[in-house]
């Protein structure tokens, strides 16, 4: 039986991913600050921004199961607003969870995967990582960093028979929308930010269900290997292809017309 760890698995895509991995026969541990064991998924309380807590949680998974085959780094949140009015504290918090929380989990499992002769690591990115979205600047930065992290890590650990990829969702109907942290003051940008965020949230609430997204992520996690960057959903596969083919000034202009008017 394979053992899988899902960070941020108490809700949304993470919870669905954990359930589908359990349904596929894996022993699944879910790491988050709030949650409970249910549906074949074992909860371990952990703040992934705390390196010592992450290592302790990984050690507990190993004590219970004796192995780690799959890691899905899903923990994250979003902030929105103009760059000018986003506080340094909020920008740092965005990177601390989305990027460094991922790194904490990856570094904690790598020694065990190397010793076991292989493993699978899936990191949650976003289509915003390749098509950065205005007024979601720091969220986009965090996901672009995940893409770079995955591409570099893949080459480092390939000889160890560890495969790595990033999944790039687009608009997903989940608790992520309600949890988004917004700037309180937007002097000079208020109307544009309001229009932009309203469109983002409308698209999210009409997007793919978290259940369907989690089923997809679980399939990717169970695959031996995939492309290093995998867009989730037909519209976003098309968007990812367009980002490669179009001149950057053209793709960025289109995104600007959509989200920065």
């Amino acid at each position: 039986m394979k053992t899988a760890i899902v960070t941020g698995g108490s809700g949304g895509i993470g919870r669905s991913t954990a359930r589908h991995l359990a349904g596929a026969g894996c022993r699944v541990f879910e790491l988050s600050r709030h949650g409970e064991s249910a549906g074949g998924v074992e909860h371990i309380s952990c703040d992934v921004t705390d390196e010592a807590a992450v290592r302790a949680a990984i050690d507990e998974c190993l004590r219970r199961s004796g192995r780690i085959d799959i890691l899905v780094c899903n923990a994250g949140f979003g902030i929105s607003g103009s760059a000018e009015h986003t506080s340094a504290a909020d920008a740092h918090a965005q990177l601390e969870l989305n990027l460094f929380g991922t790194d904490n989990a990856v570094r904690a499992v790598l020694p065990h995967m190397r010793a076991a002769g292989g493993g699978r690591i899936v990191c949650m990115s976003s289509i915003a990582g390749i098509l950065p979205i205005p007024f979601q600047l720091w969220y986009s930065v965090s996901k672009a960093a995940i893409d770079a992290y995955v591409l570099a890590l893949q080459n480092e650990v390939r000889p160890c028979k560890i495969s790595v990829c990033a999944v790039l969702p687009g608009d997903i109907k989940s608790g992520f929308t309600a949890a988004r942290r917004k700037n309180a003051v937007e002097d000079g940008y208020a109307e544009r930010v309001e229009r932009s965020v309203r469109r983002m949230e409308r698209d999210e609430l009409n997007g793919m269900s978290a259940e369907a997204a989690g089923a997809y992520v679980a399939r990717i996690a169970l695959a031996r290997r995939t492309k290093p960057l995998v867009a989730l959903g037909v519209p976003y596969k098309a968007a990812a292809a367009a980002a490669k083919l179009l001149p950057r000034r053209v793709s960025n202009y289109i995104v600007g017309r959509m989200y920065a008017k």
Side-chain angles (χ1 to χ4, degrees):
M1 177 188 293
K2 290 185 175 181
T3 295
I5 297 172
V6 180
T7 71
S10 62
I13 296 176
R15 180 166 58 186
S16 175
T17 299
R19 288 176 176 172
H20 281 280
L21 287 170
C26 297
R27 184 170 185 179
V28 182
F29 296 96
E30 176 268 308
L31 275 53
S32 63
R33 291 180 300 168
H34 311 291
E36 59 184 19
S37 299
V41 178
E42 301 173 53
H43 169 72
I44 297 177
S45 294
C46 178
D47 179 349
V48 297
T49 65
D50 183 335
E51 182 179 4
V54 173
R55 291 191 177 276
I58 297 302
D59 287 345
E60 177 62 14
C61 294
L62 282 165
R63 187 189 68 79
R64 295 187 196 181
S65 71
R67 60 187 296 159
I68 299 172
D69 302 282
I70 296 168
L71 171 66
V72 178
C73 295
N74 173 76
F77 79 110
I79 64 175
S80 65
S82 65
E84 180 180 343
H85 294 295
T86 298
S87 70
D90 280 349
H92 290 191
Q94 180 79 104
L95 295 176
E96 194 65 39
L97 180 54
N98 291 12
L99 176 59
F100 295 111
T102 292
D103 179 57
N104 285 338
V106 170
R107 285 188 294 108
V109 304
L110 279 177
H112 307 293
M113 287 185 173
R114 285 194 296 104
R120 177 75 164 151
I121 297 173
V122 177
C123 301
M124 294 303 295
S125 178
S126 168
I127 201 69
I130 57 175
L131 290 169
I133 301 174
F135 305 123
Q136 286 198 88
L137 183 151
W138 284 107
Y139 177 76
S140 300
V141 167
S142 74
K143 295 307 184 179
I146 289 291
D147 294 347
Y149 183 95
V150 162
L151 291 169
L153 182 66
Q154 181 188 54
N155 282 326
E156 292 186 13
V157 300
R158 183 182 286 112
C160 308
K161 295 183 170 57
I162 300 170
S163 62
V164 189
C165 80
V167 176
L168 284 60
D171 296 311
I172 305 294
K173 186 178 181 180
S174 71
F176 182 89
T177 301
R180 179 177 284 115
R181 188 182 301 176
K182 301 174 182 177
N183 290 350
V185 178
E186 284 292 0
D187 182 41
Y189 300 90
E191 292 184 3
R192 294 173 64 217
V193 170
E194 194 277 332
R195 283 195 299 270
S196 180
V197 174
R198 184 172 64 241
R199 174 165 185 164
M200 293 174 206
E201 295 190 341
R202 182 196 66 204
D203 291 344
E204 288 167 355
L205 292 173
N206 289 288
M208 179 186 290
S209 71
E211 180 65 21
Y216 183 90
V217 174
R219 289 197 301 273
I220 293 295
L222 290 166
R224 290 185 60 189
R225 62 179 63 87
T226 60
K227 295 178 180 179
L229 304 180
V230 184
L232 198 169
V234 173
Y236 301 102
K237 290 182 184 296
K244 291 181 181 179
L245 296 173
L246 292 174
R248 176 57 73 177
R249 63 180 179 81
V250 174
S251 63
N252 204 43
Y253 175 80
I254 292 170
V255 172
R257 293 294 295 171
M258 292 173 65
Y259 293 108
K261 291 192 296 182

